[in-house]
């Protein structure tokens, strides 16, 4: 019997290609694992009305960890129009399978390291080494949304929220409401994960990202909890920054930052920004981590324009596999894998199109796999 059971969810488009590449490298590093394929993505929405079928959730509940490629998703109306004829008009509503997976499995930490590997021609600056902790289940992603706004909600808001008077005379279909819901539990969970990581990895500080001067209720709560958690970690300096300011500071002085922690949407924004500073989406890897389960993925999507061309960069997914190895406690393998990636980047002989080269997805994976087997 294999040591680990890993759910394997390639998804759509280039998700399938980068996952094939990551598999090659995982086999090279010698992980004793059984890979169990799972269904997720657009074709399951179209044919079954569910982009994350129940059987996939069952699979995810019975494995040690999962790797996920990428999916295609579309706004609700466009999604409904693409349902199979038999499912049309049945009232099915598209919801992101990724957001659902994170919520249903309580994968409350989204961990996104962004490191500039020496020799990568795409580095914005050298020696960037940021680790972003993004809250992963609530905030503006709560899914509590209204478009149109029902009159009973408008009536209530008019009674209890003075600023709502600016909107009260609008017909319900002339505006929309998305609820930003942040709990103390969710905030504490992600803040503690960031501080624990900083302590374990001897990082120099934790920066809390927010907009509490404007978004007072929710971001105020997040910042307040940050202050409390920081008291438990007197060895780790903490500072804070507004989401807009941090986008500027990260570009100007990336070396002043180390671990960053943020509510869901701000975390999403700064992780794309940070990923671009170390080479773009071909390098952005991510772990969705809960108490007992974790799902690792590249941060990019299914990139339809490159689907089937086998030319995208698999490094993001390969680095996600490295994160999985670390999380499983196989740090030796994780380090070997990262060293192999770093060596291939440094040599610069094998580069995908985004790095200015011509190598295919699988040629990049083979180059990394060769190094890892030799290590
Ligand atoms: P995308 O991330 O799929 O691609 C945007 C662009 O980034 C690509 O056209 C390409 O130029 C570049 N890129 C992405 N991955 C790359 C790689 N591995 N190597 C080199 N370059 C790469 O975002 P897009 O085009 O906005 O969305 C396409 C679909 O993916 C949509 O349906 C979207 O909803 C979905 N999506 C899914 C995500 C996920 O599964 N986690 C995340 C983001 C988008
Ligand atoms: Mg994103």
């Amino acid at each position: 019997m294999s040591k680990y059971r890993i759910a394997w969810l390639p998804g759509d488009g280039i998700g399938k290609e980068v996952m094939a590449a990551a598999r090659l490298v995982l086999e090279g590093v010698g992980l004793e694992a059984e890979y169990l394929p799972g269904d997720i993505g657009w074709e399951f929405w179209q044919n079954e009305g569910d982009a994350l079928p129940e059987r996939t959730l069952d699979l995810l509940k019975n494995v040690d960890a999962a790797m996920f490629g990428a999916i295609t998703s579309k706004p609700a109306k466009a999604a409904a129009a693409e349902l199979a004829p038999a499912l049309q008009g049945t009232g099915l509503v598209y919801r992101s399978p990724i957001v659902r997976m994170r919520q249903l499995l309580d994968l409350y930490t989204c961990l996104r390291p962004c490191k500039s590997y020496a020799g990568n021609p795409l580095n914005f600056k050298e020696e960037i080494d940021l680790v972003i902790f993004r809250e992963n289940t609530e905030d503006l992603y709560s899914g509590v949304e209204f478009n149109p706004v029902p009159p009973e909600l408008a009536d209530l808001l008019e009674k209890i929220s003075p600023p709502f008077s600016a909107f009260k005379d609008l017909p319900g279909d002339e505006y929309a409401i998305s609820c930003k819901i942040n709990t103390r539990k969710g905030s504490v969970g992600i803040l503690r994960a960031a501080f624990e990581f900083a302590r374990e990895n001897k990082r120099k500080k934790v920066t809390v990202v927010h907009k509490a001067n404007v978004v007072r209720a929710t971001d105020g709560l997040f910042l307040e909890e940050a202050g409390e958690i920081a008291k438990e970690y007197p060895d780790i300096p903490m500072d804070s920054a507004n989401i807009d300011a941090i986008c500027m500071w990260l570009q100007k002085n990336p070396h002043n930052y180390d671990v960053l922690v943020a509510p869901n949407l701000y975390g999403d924004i700064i992780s794309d920004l940070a990923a671009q500073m170390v080479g773009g989406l071909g390098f952005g890897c991510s772990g969705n981590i809960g108490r007992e389960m974790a799902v690792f993925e590249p941060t990019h999507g299914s990139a339809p324009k490159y689907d089937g061309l086998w030319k995208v960069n698999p490094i993001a997914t390969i680095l996600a596999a490295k994160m999985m190895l670390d999380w499983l406690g196989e740090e030796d393998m994780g380090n070997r894998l990262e060293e192999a990636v770093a060596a291939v980047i440094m040599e610069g002989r094998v580069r995908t199109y985004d790095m200015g080269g011509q190598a295919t997805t699988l040629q990049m994976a083979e180059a990394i796999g060769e190094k890892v087997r030799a290590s």
Side-chain angles (χ1 to χ4, degrees):
M1 227 181 75
S2 295
K3 191 166 174 193
Y4 300 108
R5 287 163 53 84
I6 309 292
W8 198 257
L9 278 48
D12 298 315
I14 64 161
K16 294 188 170 67
E17 300 166 24
V18 293
M19 285 284 277
R23 181 73 161 267
L24 214 145
V25 176
L26 278 171
E27 278 160 13
V29 81
L31 183 72
E32 277 178 61
E34 187 185 351
Y35 298 97
L36 303 147
D39 296 334
I40 189 168
W42 197 246
E43 65 178 282
F44 304 101
W45 160 252
Q46 287 189 297
N47 300 328
E48 302 177 25
D50 191 350
L52 179 65
E54 207 55 44
R55 59 183 178 280
T56 308
L57 280 172
D58 288 342
L59 169 69
L60 289 167
K61 287 174 190 155
N62 288 293
V63 291
D64 296 300
M67 286 282 299
F68 160 58
I71 48 122
T72 296
S73 72
K74 295 184 187 175
K77 280 181 194 155
E82 288 194 33
L83 277 170
L87 296 174
Q88 295 272 346
T90 54
L92 288 165
V93 178
Y94 183 82
R95 284 198 58 204
S96 159
I98 309 173
V99 175
R100 271 179 64 219
M101 181 162 68
R102 290 169 182 161
Q103 288 172 341
L104 293 171
L105 301 173
D106 197 19
L107 306 174
Y108 62 93
T109 296
C110 182
L111 173 57
R112 291 182 166 178
C114 294
K115 213 190 257 191
S116 54
Y117 290 95
N120 184 351
L122 301 173
N123 287 341
F124 172 68
K125 287 192 173 139
E126 299 307 318
E127 290 176 30
I128 294 176
D129 184 4
L130 301 166
V131 180
I132 294 161
F133 281 80
R134 165 189 173 190
E135 196 286 320
N136 218 12
T137 59
E138 46 188 53
D139 195 60
L140 264 171
Y141 293 64
S142 67
V144 183
E145 303 196 281
F146 305 93
N147 178 14
V149 177
E152 58 271 38
L153 177 60
D155 290 347
L156 178 65
L157 287 173
E158 190 182 346
K159 281 196 201 101
I160 63 176
S161 174
F164 187 75
S165 62
F167 309 101
K168 72 177 174 34
D169 296 326
L170 291 171
D173 57 2
E174 282 299 313
Y175 67 122
I177 295 179
S178 297
C179 295
K180 175 166 154 81
I181 302 180
N182 299 69
T183 66
R184 287 197 194 277
K185 177 169 174 253
S187 305
V188 166
I190 192 70
L191 287 157
R192 202 182 286 289
F195 276 95
E196 278 296 318
F197 175 91
R199 180 178 275 172
E200 262 170 42
N201 294 279
K202 305 200 171 21
R203 308 291 297 220
K204 60 181 190 277
K205 73 167 170 178
V206 172
T207 301
V208 181
V209 178
H210 63 90
K211 187 79 187 180
N213 54 334
V214 178
V215 190
R216 290 170 198 277
T218 45
D219 287 1
L221 179 149
F222 194 79
L223 195 56
E224 185 185 311
E225 291 300 337
E228 290 303 309
I229 299 285
K231 289 183 196 156
E232 296 172 29
Y233 297 85
D235 47 322
I236 314 285
M238 183 194 95
D239 63 7
S240 66
N242 281 319
I243 175 63
D244 47 346
I246 198 74
C247 291
M248 182 267 292
W249 287 119
L250 276 178
Q251 296 232 358
K252 192 156 186 244
N253 299 322
H255 304 119
N256 288 358
Y257 296 93
D258 191 326
V259 176
L260 297 120
V261 58
N264 208 337
L265 179 63
Y266 307 149
D268 195 15
I269 294 169
I270 53 173
S271 39
D272 273 22
L273 174 69
Q276 191 56 42
M277 299 203 307
V278 299
L281 289 175
F283 294 83
C285 56
S286 163
N288 303 282
I289 302 171
R291 279 167 193 84
E292 275 141 34
M293 173 61 182
V295 179
F296 298 87
E297 56 165 326
T299 57
H300 62 72
S302 61
K305 74 177 184 212
Y306 293 118
D307 182 13
L309 302 182
W310 292 86
K311 65 182 280 191
V312 295
N313 192 342
I315 287 182
T317 315
I318 292 170
L319 290 173
K322 175 245 183 308
M323 294 177 75
M324 179 179 79
L325 292 171
D326 289 347
W327 187 78
L328 288 170
E330 300 288 352
E331 282 101 346
D332 263 5
M333 287 189 195
N335 290 339
R336 280 171 54 216
L337 207 162
E338 187 179 20
E339 280 158 18
V341 169
V344 169
I345 293 174
M346 176 68 110
E347 282 172 13
R349 270 181 294 157
V350 180
R351 287 179 171 169
T352 42
Y353 83 92
D354 53 323
M355 302 171 79
Q358 312 239 306
T360 66
T361 305
L362 290 181
Q363 283 166 345
M364 175 61 93
E366 274 154 15
I368 296 167
E370 206 171 290
K371 295 254 183 249
V372 93
R373 270 191 300 271
S375 66

